Amino acid sequence: MGNKTLAIIKPDAVQKDYTGSIISMIIKAGFKIKAMKMTQLTKSSAEGFYSVHKERSFFKDLVAYMTSGPCIPMALERENAVEEYRKLIGATDPKKAAEGTVRKLFAVDIQLNAVHGSDSDENAEKEIAHFFSKDELLNNFTE
Ligand code: CMP
């Protein structure tokens, strides 16, 4: 059970000024923000980040969505981070997300779903490294 996960506030949520509300929910749920930036993904960076989905019918639209404006990746720390963050954000499809979850409150549909969260400890490590250098992480995760 790992202590880190990679969260992204996606472009539509940033554009609609949901950033403050979403960060507040993350902090109230007991996560520590260990690194954060606002950045606009390039096509090749978005394709790389979501390469596991490259054969899916929604891949092209997903890349277009994720490059459509600035997003906010964050490296988060908490005990059992991957699972706890996924509980906080709710199901990928907001129609199936539990009441009070980030996606229930802020997502539009299964694609424009407001936030991303890593799905395993192994992917959390890879996804954090996609966005943050060792210097940016300040080595401040509790090991
Ligand atoms: P995320 O958790 O970032 O992981 C992959 C993303 O692909 C997902 O959120 C959605 O934005 C998108 N996605 C997943 N399933 C679908 C789908 N069936 N149709 C369209 N987009 C999807």
Side-chain angles (χ1 to χ4, degrees):
M1 180 175 85
N3 65 347
K4 14 181 126 152
T5 194
L6 188 275
I8 307 175
I9 304 177
K10 295 186 176 184
D12 64 315
V14 172
Q15 204 267 329
K16 288 180 218 149
D17 287 331
Y18 295 152
T19 300
S21 304
I22 293 172
I23 290 176
S24 173
M25 287 176 76
I26 289 170
I27 290 169
K28 281 190 191 132
F31 293 88
K32 293 284 179 202
I33 300 172
K34 294 293 176 169
M36 175 165 72
K37 64 172 89 169
M38 183 179 275
T39 183
Q40 186 154 358
L41 287 174
T42 61
K43 186 166 177 270
S44 71
S45 180
E47 285 172 348
F49 185 79
Y50 281 120
S51 61
V52 292
H53 297 301
K54 66 177 183 291
E55 306 302 336
R56 309 292 294 273
S57 59
F58 58 79
F59 183 67
K60 208 168 158 235
D61 287 346
L62 174 61
V63 169
Y65 163 46
M66 290 303 294
T67 56
S68 65
C71 66
I72 302 178
M74 286 174 271
L76 302 179
E77 181 175 86
R78 207 209 114 131
E79 198 181 314
N80 199 14
V82 165
E83 197 181 322
E84 290 299 327
Y85 181 74
R86 289 173 76 81
K87 259 192 240 164
L88 175 70
I89 64 178
T92 305
D93 183 351
K95 285 204 274 294
K96 296 180 188 154
E99 288 302 327
T101 58
V102 174
R103 285 172 170 156
K104 186 71 176 184
L105 290 166
F106 300 114
V108 174
D109 57 29
I110 194 166
Q111 179 170 266
L112 275 67
N113 62 356
V115 286
H116 169 81
S118 308
D119 64 3
S120 65
D121 292 339
E122 193 191 344
N123 283 339
E125 293 280 355
K126 284 189 203 153
E127 291 180 359
I128 289 170
H130 184 95
F131 285 105
F132 300 104
S133 67
K134 283 212 161 64
D135 287 353
E136 287 173 312
L137 290 167
L138 309 168
N139 293 324
N140 61 3
F141 273 100
T142 313
E143 294 303 338

